[in-house]
Amino acid sequence: MQSKVSLIAGALCAASVTACVTINIYFPAAAAEKVADRIIDDVYQLKPDTAKPNEGGGAAPK
Amino acid sequence: MVHRIWRYFVVLSLLAGVGAHAAQEPNLTIDTPGITALRKGLRDNFRQLRPLLESGAVGLTRDGNVGLRDASSVPLAQRAQVNALIAQSNQDRAALYREIAIANGHPEWENDIRGIFAQRWIDRSRSGWYYQNTTGAWVRKP
């Protein structure tokens, strides 16, 4: 009886440890979205339109 | 004896639970000199890219890049320059996705990061810009 219980407990412990490792290497999509938004907003600079957009031919200085 | 084993198990489970919870909400770092330089490159590049996105000559691709959508709207004399601009932007984007994955100790995340960026570049784009939908067709953002 006792050895059966310790076997089960051991198996559960092993399972917990495995689960932990699995979670740790899982891709953190929410965190990735957060950094993506930070970088993208910075690139787009989505602030009120202060600058007049360049029209047509003016797009290529130099 | 049995009780002691169970107590160990309970303590271990709690620890595992705490560990798992902490692991579920990690922050990704983007604080490396390489990533900072790439962000600056993308910002500078975007200043020239923006009018092309607004005119529809260039669009956001479904794989996290930019692409030439309507070559005919670019005067012939400027076409090579526009292509170079697109190539430069895509090179910086690829490097950015790779650098973020490496900076966080998981180079194998590069494609997942690219996938997230692909979606967010489109989600946060402006009305009137073109993007590729999941089948690759160009769609004008309403």
Side-chain angles (χ1 to χ4, degrees), chain B residues 100-111:
Chain B
I100 294 173
I102 291 171
N104 289 280
H106 289 276
E108 76 277 10
W109 285 350
E110 181 181 337
N111 271 331

Side-chain angles (χ1 to χ4, degrees), chain A residues 2 5-6 9 12-13 24 27-28 31-32 34-37 40-47 49 60 62, chain B residues 1-2 5-6 9 12 23 26-28 39 43 46 50 54 60 81 109 112 117 120-121 124 126 129:
Chain A
Q2 219 181 61
V5 169
S6 56
L12 283 172
C13 284
N24 267 325
F27 176 65
K34 227 190 287 174
V35 300
D37 285 352
I40 289 168
D41 283 353
D42 179 38
V43 171
Y44 282 169
Q45 299 190 337
L46 289 175
K47 284 168 192 151
D49 271 310
K62 277 188 206 172
Chain B
M1 175 63 183
V2 175
I5 289 170
W6 278 112
F9 175 68
L12 263 177
N27 277 318
L28 292 183
R39 291 174 69 179
R43 268 201 311 270
F46 192 75
R50 180 168 209 141
E54 282 164 358
L60 305 165
Q81 196 197 4
W109 285 350
D112 296 301
F117 268 83
R120 304 309 283 172
W121 284 118
R124 300 183 91 76
R126 284 212 164 157
W129 296 5

Side-chain angles (χ1 to χ4, degrees), chain B residues 10 22 42 44 53 59 72-73 79 88 109 118-120 130 132 134 139:
Chain B
V10 168
L42 281 166
D44 293 346
L53 279 162
S72 67
S73 70
R79 233 168 266 179
Q88 181 63 52
W109 285 350
Q119 192 54 54
R120 304 309 283 172
Y130 283 86
Q132 274 180 337
T134 48
V139 180

